[in-house]
Amino acid sequence: MNKKELIVAASQSTGHPQVLIEVIFDEIQRLIVEELAEKRTVSISGFGTFTVIEKPEISRINYFTKEKITVPAKSVPKFKFSDVFKAQVNRF
Amino acid sequence: MNKKELIVAASQSTGHPQVLIEVIFDEIQRLIVEELAEKRTVSISGFGTFTVIEKPEISRINYFTKEKITVPAKSVPKFKFSDVFKAQVNRF
């Protein structure tokens, strides 16, 4: 199932128009990105928790050219399913 | 940020009522669970991909009682962020 099919299915089952569902889905996604970019956690009960970890800048040597390369520091998003969600996936 | 705060924020920024946003959020979550329970993938462009892996039944020995225990087979949900999402988290 891709995003379009997910929106169509949610529209059919809730009776709300697809465009409304997509606007709301995109806004929730934008808010999650914003929280993670601010290094904050988003914990959604019954679903899971979004966190972000900081990877420091590291230096590497190019194996062939022996040139020194600096890999910049970056934030890496993480997601952990809640136990409720995991149980639901096994309950069907 | 927890689920309630996420819904309040999405309601404020989209202008749609909180109850509507929660209904849509819960339905999208239910659809994802249903797809994973059927061992199917949910791929949301710009966000990430939900998959499920099968862990087979395994036998274990209780360290203390030496009793043999069977851990039943189970489906384990997995989520992988899209590159677009990862880039957005680093763009702020």
Side-chain angles (χ1 to χ4, degrees), chain B residues 4 21 34 37 46 50 52 55 63 67 72-73 79-80:
Chain B
K4 176 71 180 161
I21 289 176
E34 204 172 77
F50 294 89
V52 68
K55 289 225 171 164
Y63 182 78
E67 186 201 340
F79 178 71
K80 190 173 179 301

Side-chain angles (χ1 to χ4, degrees), chain B residues 55-71:
Chain B
K55 289 225 171 164
E57 181 182 287
I58 47 172
S59 300
R60 283 243 177 89
I61 308 284
N62 181 310
Y63 182 78
F64 299 103
T65 63
K66 304 305 177 208
E67 186 201 340
K68 196 176 157 190
I69 313 158
T70 303
V71 179

Side-chain angles (χ1 to χ4, degrees), chain A residues 46-49 79-86 89, chain B residues 32 36 49-51 76-80:
Chain A
F47 187 61
T49 301
F79 178 71
K80 190 173 178 299
F81 288 99
S82 71
D83 289 339
V84 168
F85 190 96
K86 285 183 212 171
V89 169
Chain B
I32 292 172
L36 294 181
T49 301
F50 294 89
T51 52
V76 179
K78 294 284 174 192
F79 178 71
K80 190 173 179 301

